[in-house]
Amino acid sequence: MKKVLMIIMVLSILCGITLIADGQKEKGAEKIVIKLGHDNNVQTPGHKAFLEFKKIVEEESQGQIEVQVFPGGQLGSVQDMFEQARRGDIQMSVTATTLFTQTIPEFAIWDSFYMFDDATHAHRVLDGKAGIELMKPLESMNLVGLGYMEIGFRNFSNRKNPIMKPEDVKGLKIRGWGPIQIAAWESVGCVLTSLSWSEVFTSLQQNLIDGQECATSSFYYAKFYEAQKYWSLTKHVYTNWLWYANKDFMDGLSAEHRSLIEEAAKKTIRLDRELIAASEKEILDKLPGLGIEVNEVPLEARRAMGEIMNGAVKNQIVEKCGIDIYNFVMAEIEAERK
């Protein structure tokens, strides 16, 4: 009996030592830190969404994961942050795919015109087979895609007339800034003048150009409404904002932590899209009071313009992304039309 009691006491002591050791190990475990850099300012929907990501991850991991968000290009340019994420100096960043078509030529497919009828159409495609497939090239660069946030649609402003059909842009002088963009707008009769973004406002004021194309938020915050009369919702190009992470970092996480981060990313992307939509509506509601005539462009007219413009740039895009990617993505876009 004494031997049995002695064995029980020894086992109890050993178990206690083990539990203390495990507790100390857990208590002293190194916190996982995610450094996330982006180039948007702190007032943008994207940054606000990332703050929510930080909150979700830190709360759901019970403090085991810390998210540090660096906005406004604090860590460098988008190219700088891309390289930092590849090396693992930071764990995450985000960029418009159009800025990386030289590095990842497959991304050129997203530079096509009039791909999507509306934002929900774009979301279905990007969240579906096409979007997932187009994130795969990241893996060869030690990166993985987390999903597509958004900057939104580019639209068309000018001082002469609202755009309702393809013929309405003929003869308008607008800013040109890249081979694909120039070829596309020349195909519908625009006259392109090469200008940097910083030169656009003055050129509009002095009537050196008649109009330009950009995101609604850019039109508003650049105060182009002071030199333009019409804002036509052509929705000719949709700009995504691809969120990616260092592959080694993601692969090194526990299954639980990886799942937590990926689910938090999905919630963040949904929030970003909701905030973008709300911001767009708010700005569009303000523009009439600033003397701007806002008009929707009929879907049929947009598709007609898209057929002409994509016909003019298809070869340039296929040259970069390849015919297989081009055909696959275009088929998915058609399949997701409602």
Side-chain angles (χ1 to χ4, degrees), residues 51-117:
L51 293 182
E52 185 64 19
F53 173 73
K54 172 182 170 69
K55 180 182 175 185
I56 294 169
V57 170
E58 291 180 351
E59 286 181 356
E60 294 191 3
S61 71
Q62 297 181 332
Q64 293 175 23
I65 305 174
E66 178 185 352
V67 180
Q68 300 174 356
V69 182
F70 299 90
Q74 289 179 29
L75 301 181
S77 67
V78 290
Q79 184 67 53
D80 292 333
M81 289 183 280
F82 183 80
E83 294 301 330
Q84 290 167 27
R86 288 183 66 185
R87 293 193 303 265
D89 297 341
I90 64 174
Q91 287 65 49
M92 295 179 183
S93 190
V94 59
T95 187
T97 54
T98 189
L99 299 177
F100 284 93
T101 56
Q102 295 301 318
T103 307
I104 305 176
E106 290 90 342
F107 286 173
I109 184 62
W110 302 126
D111 288 345
S112 300
F113 285 73
Y114 290 101
M115 302 178 84
F116 308 117
D117 295 341

Side-chain angles (χ1 to χ4, degrees), residues 19-271:
L19 287 170
I20 291 168
D22 286 347
Q24 288 176 339
K25 184 179 178 183
E26 183 68 28
K27 199 172 180 181
E30 190 175 345
K31 183 180 286 188
I32 297 168
V33 176
I34 297 175
K35 292 181 179 179
L36 192 166
H38 67 84
D39 66 339
N40 274 206
N41 70 54
V42 296
Q43 299 302 321
T44 57
H47 180 70
K48 292 174 183 176
F50 282 136
L51 293 182
E52 185 64 19
F53 173 73
K54 172 182 170 69
K55 180 182 175 185
I56 294 169
V57 170
E58 291 180 351
E59 286 181 356
E60 294 191 3
S61 71
Q62 297 181 332
Q64 293 175 23
I65 305 174
E66 178 185 352
V67 180
Q68 300 174 356
V69 182
F70 299 90
Q74 289 179 29
L75 301 181
S77 67
V78 290
Q79 184 67 53
D80 292 333
M81 289 183 280
F82 183 80
E83 294 301 330
Q84 290 167 27
R86 288 183 66 185
R87 293 193 303 265
D89 297 341
I90 64 174
Q91 287 65 49
M92 295 179 183
S93 190
V94 59
T95 187
T97 54
T98 189
L99 299 177
F100 284 93
T101 56
Q102 295 301 318
T103 307
I104 305 176
E106 290 90 342
F107 286 173
I109 184 62
W110 302 126
D111 288 345
S112 300
F113 285 73
Y114 290 101
M115 302 178 84
F116 308 117
D117 295 341
D118 52 34
T120 56
H121 182 202
H123 301 161
R124 289 194 299 272
V125 173
L126 292 168
D127 295 342
K129 293 178 185 177
I132 293 168
E133 185 66 27
L134 265 293
M135 289 193 288
K136 288 181 180 178
L138 289 167
E139 294 180 13
S140 65
M141 300 190 171
N142 196 34
L143 298 168
V144 292
L146 294 175
Y148 298 85
M149 297 171 79
E150 72 179 4
I151 295 173
F153 283 105
R154 296 177 75 90
N155 297 305
F156 196 101
S157 74
N158 81 101
R159 64 188 177 88
K160 291 192 171 182
N161 52 261
I163 308 306
M164 296 296 292
K165 55 189 183 300
E167 295 77 16
D168 292 333
V169 300
K170 192 170 184 179
L172 291 178
K173 292 180 287 184
I174 68 170
R175 173 202 178 211
W177 49 267
I180 289 176
Q181 186 254 9
I182 290 171
W185 286 110
E186 284 183 340
S187 74
V188 286
C190 287
V191 179
L192 281 292
T193 299
S194 182
L195 293 170
S196 67
W197 178 252
S198 61
E199 297 174 296
V200 176
F201 183 79
T202 302
S203 297
L204 291 171
Q205 274 190 321
Q206 297 176 353
N207 295 336
L208 299 176
I209 56 174
D210 301 313
Q212 58 81 53
E213 46 91 31
C214 66
T216 297
S217 57
S218 299
F219 178 80
Y220 177 74
Y221 291 115
K223 297 187 177 181
F224 288 166
Y225 52 80
E226 293 181 0
Q228 299 278 264
K229 182 169 176 55
Y230 303 99
W231 181 242
S232 299
L233 302 180
T234 48
K235 301 178 183 178
H236 51 271
V237 168
Y238 174 89
T239 305
N240 61 53
W241 211 35
L242 176 61
W243 187 0
Y244 57 87
N246 176 270
K247 187 175 187 300
D248 291 338
F249 168 74
M250 294 297 290
D251 290 347
L253 293 168
S254 67
E256 180 186 359
H257 281 159
R258 182 163 187 158
S259 177
L260 186 158
I261 288 169
E262 289 174 344
E263 286 304 309
K266 289 177 184 177
K267 293 176 184 177
T268 303
I269 289 168
R270 285 197 296 271
L271 175 61

